[in-house]
């Protein structure tokens, strides 16, 4: 069962994915960045949620990178840097399908 949980993620009774745990958040250029480092094999994978209110609706983009870090703090710091880079390069286009 543990292998399947890692492969497909943990889910609630209704089958929805568990909410990522937010380590820290900050505002940047009108966006909110929530660092959500993912524990993996004794390390932490770089992940974040980028959000912005657009036309009265909160838009959200989940960013998961291949980068692994030895500490949660390092993964959090680099998540902010990478999310800021994505915002600078793409702006609101990150919310387009």
């Amino acid at each position: 069962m543990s292998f399947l949980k890692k492969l497909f993620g943990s889910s609630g009774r209704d089958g929805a994915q568990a909410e990522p745990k937010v380590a820290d958040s900050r505002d940047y250029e009108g966006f909110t960045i929530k660092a959500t480092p993912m524990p993996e094999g004794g390390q932490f994978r770089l992940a974040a949620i980028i959000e912005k209110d657009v036309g009265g609706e909160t838009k959200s983009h989940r960013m998961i990178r291949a980068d692994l870090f030895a500490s949660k703090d390092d993964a959090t710091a680099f998540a902010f840097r990478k999310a800021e880079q994505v915002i600078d390069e793409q702006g609101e286009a990150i919310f387009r399908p």
Side-chain angles (χ1 to χ4, degrees):
M1 183 78 161
S2 178
F3 170 75
L4 293 175
K5 225 181 213 183
K6 284 183 181 179
L7 184 62
F8 296 108
S10 59
S11 61
R13 282 186 248 166
D14 62 357
Q17 290 291 330
E19 286 294 315
K21 293 183 181 178
V22 177
D24 197 3
S25 66
R26 69 170 63 149
D27 292 329
Y28 179 77
E29 300 292 326
F31 293 78
T32 299
I33 303 168
K34 297 178 181 178
T36 57
M38 302 166 56
E40 186 172 313
Q43 296 180 313
F44 292 87
R45 182 168 304 280
L46 187 154
I49 299 169
I50 302 170
E51 295 180 335
K52 184 174 184 178
D53 287 332
V54 179
E57 179 184 352
T58 300
K59 301 283 188 172
S60 181
H61 173 77
R62 179 93 167 113
M63 179 184 77
I64 301 173
R65 306 282 300 169
D67 308 291
L68 293 172
F69 297 89
S71 78
K72 185 176 182 178
D73 289 341
D74 286 345
T76 298
F78 279 91
F80 286 128
R81 288 186 197 150
K82 186 61 182 175
E84 289 171 0
Q85 180 183 4
V86 169
I87 291 167
D88 289 342
E89 291 174 357
Q90 298 181 34
E92 290 182 15
I94 62 173
F95 303 126
R96 292 188 193 134

